[in-house]
Amino acid sequence: MPRSGRLILPGYPHHVMQQGFRGQTVFHTDGDFRKYLRDMRELREELGVRIYAWCLLSNQVHLLLDPGSDPEALPEFMKALSLRTTRHRNRRRQQNGSLWEGRYRSSPVQTGYWFLAAVRGIELQAVMLGEAAHVGSYRWSSYRERMGRAEPYCLDPHADYMALGRTDEERRESYRLLMRQGQSEQEWRHIELALRRSQPIGDDMFTQSAAIKASRTVTSRNRTRPRSRKS
């Protein structure tokens, strides 16, 4: 059965998850984590992709990415990032073969409530999976940068986060309160299931409108695609 195409909406955040092939470790050293972050920052500038949240775990990554006006920017970003990471691993460990599972998963995220739920879910991954006791103690997520406890690196502002307060400190305090509440089992189950199926993360109305928008985007691209010339 052919694989269905990903649902990518221009101007919307997308929760992206990629894991190591057969669950293998992806990041062995601090240098591996730092290299991935440097590559993210470079590709963000090159392709115009915005990054709203991220969490790097030993054998998987969770990212919240916005392709901007060009839906193709997201798969280009992930393809280049995956390839750079694989080459780095193979060079350092003198081996060949696949590092990642065949396809990453991605789901467009509804703004508002579900955007903040997705950000929290991503930044809490290390705690949820037992790689950290507390979100603030884990170095390889965007939480520390968001809280001003790490040098600004590759985190972009989003209107929903900015609306949490008038100043940086007000926004951080509001977000801390949200994080203390944690993520309900129902919220994460909704996100996880949508991500597994590459379906939108949001309410029913958003899911329906996302399918319509995606259809229009594909139709528009097909109409503007130049016809091949026959020799």
Side-chain angles (χ1 to χ4, degrees), residues 78-129:
M78 289 305 300
K79 180 180 179 180
L81 187 57
S82 301
L83 185 59
R84 288 187 184 194
T85 310
T86 300
R87 287 175 174 170
H88 173 71
R89 190 284 304 266
N90 288 345
R91 216 167 29 237
R92 283 190 72 255
R93 301 181 69 84
Q94 297 183 345
Q95 63 186 83
N96 295 310
S98 300
L99 174 61
W100 303 101
E101 278 191 349
R103 296 187 98 205
Y104 62 87
R105 300 171 184 173
S106 70
S107 295
V109 180
Q110 184 177 13
T111 53
Y113 173 89
W114 282 106
F115 172 84
L116 291 173
V119 172
R120 293 202 316 279
I122 288 172
E123 293 183 345
L124 283 167
Q125 279 298 298
V127 176
M128 293 167 68
L129 295 178

Side-chain angles (χ1 to χ4, degrees), residues 136-229:
S137 66
Y138 191 69
R139 290 187 294 162
W140 309 114
S141 87
S142 50
Y143 180 79
R144 291 167 64 89
E145 181 177 344
R146 193 182 306 281
M147 293 296 103
R149 294 170 57 187
E151 182 181 350
Y153 205 75
C154 58
L155 194 60
D156 291 298
H158 185 274
D160 290 334
Y161 177 77
M162 299 300 287
L164 292 177
R166 293 171 297 178
T167 65
D168 285 344
E169 192 47 49
E170 282 186 6
R171 287 187 282 271
R172 287 167 182 160
E173 184 56 31
S174 296
Y175 189 69
R176 286 188 197 102
L177 291 174
L178 287 175
M179 290 296 270
R180 286 184 196 130
Q181 296 171 15
Q183 184 138 55
S184 71
E185 185 178 347
Q186 183 179 5
E187 269 184 352
W188 181 246
R189 191 185 304 121
H190 175 86
I191 293 172
E192 189 176 37
L193 183 60
L195 194 57
R196 190 184 308 148
R197 296 175 175 176
S198 293
Q199 294 175 344
I201 296 170
D203 59 29
D204 291 342
M205 186 175 295
F206 175 71
T207 299
Q208 294 170 9
S209 66
I212 294 171
K213 289 175 182 177
S215 177
R216 287 174 179 169
T217 301
V218 171
T219 301
S220 175
R221 265 195 259 144
N222 288 340
R223 284 176 178 170
T224 57
R225 186 180 298 160
R227 296 180 180 177
S228 59
R229 294 182 181 178

